Amino acid sequence: MKKRKLGAVLLSLTLGVSLFTGNAFAKEDSAAEAKETYRVLIQGSSSAKASLQSQHEPRWNFGNDGFTTTVNAKQYQALQNNKNIKVEIVQEVKVETASTKRKQNSLSNDINAVPSDQTPWGIQAIYNDSGIRATSGGSGIKVAVLDTGVYTSHIDLAGSAEQCKDFTQSNPLVNGSCTDRQGHGTHVAGSVLAHGGHDGLGIYGVAPQSKLWAYKVLGDNGRGYSDDIAGAIRHVADEASRTGSKVVINMSLGSAGKDTLITNAVNYAYSKGVLVVAASGNSGPSSNTIGYPGALPNAVAVAALENVQQNGTYRVANFSSRGNPNTDGDYVIQERDVEVSAPGANIESTWIGGGYNTISGTSMATPHVAGLAAKIWSSNPSWSHTQLRTELRNRAIQYDIKGGTGAAAGDDYASGFGFPRVR
């Protein structure tokens, strides 16, 4: 019997994972919180901005949207007193620990050296094949995972990373670095494109032949600034244009509030032919709890399913954020609508250090859809991203979800159009 030889694998760690894992949901830091430095967005006339850029080194220059920079308290006060500009704190988000009241949402502390199942239940479900032993597809498509980084040396991800970039350092774009010290981004990447390893003993994602663009936009503590995320989104779009690539963005992150920089970046990427897939959030089961950027019309918002049958279908997890019930049944995506749903509870995937972990959240549902998008696009390379999105919706309609709070026949605020699958 073949056995995989692995280096030392961390067996336990304290988890404070990224924004939409388990019941973790982002919160904006209070602008009134005492801080020594501030990341700020400065807007104003071209001349006013140019004058200030000579005094404050820009981190990101977003043109008409303004530029961001870091200032101390005295400088921040001076900017607030400048009547020629508008200055605001850049949205900073942070994670909460998983709720101890919801055991099904809790995060595992046990990291396994080998997968308990090479094709976990989510893969079997999205392929609609309980006997599947390996996956395929995605050739020619790039999937940009914007997250805590990716452990690209994992045996099941080796050779998949085409780009590896860090947007969280003092220099806002570092090539060749995307170190994941937390695990969340590595888990997400595995669900998209893990290929089982050179020995065939590892885990499989939805589209193992797709290529990974690993963009670290969240720090090692799971916190991220909206300007870094927006900069990364725009960079994906520009790289897609530069290389002539078809790209799917996976964002298993978000916040409760809408952010202008991220909104404009998502719209920019979508205008460049990039498909944006984002988590709906983990504040369910109440309505109108969907987070951003998933709530944006130009992002495909993904709800989480659990491996439980109810009313003849999979069930939407209680933790999964819900959309707007007033738009149920219209089959039109508006702001704050869930679009589709996918497996997101108790999902096993790759982890930092070369092991495997099982965690839950809409963070885990999102890469199933991003991987499916890559697989479908690879088989239909002449399609635009809008045609691809229509196909995802059509496949979702074929597999309506009727289980869970808010789920009903047809388009609903819990599961969206339904569960898109390979077949």
Side-chain angles (χ1 to χ4, degrees), residues 62-123:
F62 294 108
N64 292 334
D65 289 341
F67 73 95
T68 61
T69 189
T70 301
V71 296
N72 60 34
K74 184 176 180 180
Q75 292 169 325
Y76 178 51
Q77 186 62 51
L79 290 171
Q80 287 183 306
N81 294 333
N82 188 333
K83 304 301 182 183
N84 296 318
I85 62 167
K86 177 183 177 183
V87 60
E88 60 185 64
I89 300 292
V90 172
Q91 185 184 76
E92 183 183 1
V93 295
K94 62 182 179 181
V95 299
E96 296 175 353
T97 56
S99 171
T100 57
K101 295 180 180 179
R102 296 177 178 173
K103 292 183 179 180
Q104 71 271 28
N105 302 353
S106 63
L107 306 178
S108 169
N109 288 331
D110 297 323
I111 313 304
N112 300 315
V114 294
S116 63
D117 190 341
Q118 290 187 273
T119 52
W121 83 265
I123 297 299

Side-chain angles (χ1 to χ4, degrees), residues 22-78:
N23 194 38
F25 192 86
K27 296 169 83 177
E28 293 183 28
D29 280 350
S30 169
E33 182 182 350
K35 299 176 68 174
E36 294 182 1
T37 61
Y38 300 83
R39 180 85 62 89
V40 296
L41 171 66
I42 298 173
Q43 297 173 304
S45 66
S46 297
S47 58
K49 288 186 293 185
S51 175
L52 289 170
Q53 284 176 8
S54 65
Q55 304 170 45
H56 306 286
E57 183 178 2
R59 180 173 180 83
W60 293 102
N61 190 337
F62 294 108
N64 292 334
D65 289 341
F67 73 95
T68 61
T69 189
T70 301
V71 296
N72 60 34
K74 184 176 180 180
Q75 292 169 325
Y76 178 51
Q77 186 62 51

Side-chain angles (χ1 to χ4, degrees), residues 9-29:
V9 176
L10 186 62
L11 294 180
S12 66
L13 46 140
T14 301
L15 296 174
V17 298
S18 185
L19 304 182
F20 282 157
T21 304
N23 194 38
F25 192 86
K27 296 169 83 177
E28 293 183 28
D29 280 350

Side-chain angles (χ1 to χ4, degrees), residues 299-320:
V300 178
V302 185
L305 301 175
E306 51 192 5
N307 192 17
V308 175
Q309 294 291 308
Q310 183 177 352
N311 299 324
T313 71
Y314 289 104
R315 185 172 70 190
V316 180
N318 270 343
F319 64 75
S320 188

